[in-house]
Amino acid sequence: MNTKSLILTVLALFAINSPIVAQQGSIEASNPILNSYEEWRAEHGEEWRLRRHTDLPTAQFLWGYNLPSSVTPQNDGDFEELARQYFADTYSMFGVDDFSLSLRQVKHLDLSRIATTNKVSVEFAQKVNGIEVLDGSAQALFTPKGDLLALDSLAMPHLNELSTRPKNDGFIAVSTAISEYIKIESDHP
């Protein structure tokens, strides 16, 4: 293959792939999660990183830098409030509804023993009407002074948009459950 043929081949490949690249750019430009992430980085530092959730249309993990706190937490309740505030501030990325967050624990991690800095983890379960959402959780990681280090969410997003009203009343549900149980038992003597 001569030089002229090689150059024409390369130019043809660029021409073929140009619409795909342009299309990807326009798709990402219209993505509200990425737009919110870029706004976050512009406001709080370009060092922040984001991992999108593989199964949900939201962010999963925000990390890579720190956001100084305007207050120094004095107790576990202060850390809980900071975590709730940061999930509210990042709602457009994570979609975590505050009403669904139920505090599991605030854990003070003594990591100075292993040559790093101490941290505070705030972990939430996710509940709706008192019922825990399967695998729904959210965590925030802070310095002891309250600086945000990371947000991590496996919570089901935008629960305020979902109906949690039962399709059947309680009597129908119990009757159906009894009928199904009788069927199972009669099949397995």
Side-chain angles (χ1 to χ4, degrees), residues 66-73 78 82 86 142-143 145-148:
N66 68 34
L67 180 58
S69 178
S70 59
V71 297
T72 301
D78 291 347
L82 273 176
Y86 284 120
F142 297 98
T143 67
K145 292 182 180 180
D147 299 345
L148 178 68

Side-chain angles (χ1 to χ4, degrees), residues 108-138:
H108 298 264
L109 307 167
D110 184 9
L111 302 177
S112 62
R113 297 179 190 186
I114 58 170
T116 187
T117 58
N118 293 336
K119 305 206 175 24
V120 178
S121 169
V122 179
E123 182 180 1
F124 296 101
Q126 191 178 34
K127 294 182 179 181
V128 176
N129 298 331
I131 299 171
E132 195 160 325
V133 175
L134 183 64
D135 297 328
S137 64

Side-chain angles (χ1 to χ4, degrees), residues 74-94:
Q74 301 299 310
N75 55 47
D76 290 355
D78 291 347
F79 279 105
E80 177 187 1
E81 286 305 312
L82 273 176
R84 288 180 181 280
Q85 183 59 53
Y86 284 120
F87 276 111
D89 291 349
T90 58
Y91 186 84
S92 57
M93 286 187 272
F94 290 97

Side-chain angles (χ1 to χ4, degrees), residues 24-32 34-35:
Q24 285 175 337
S26 66
I27 289 170
E28 289 182 4
S30 65
N31 186 317
L34 293 179
N35 292 341

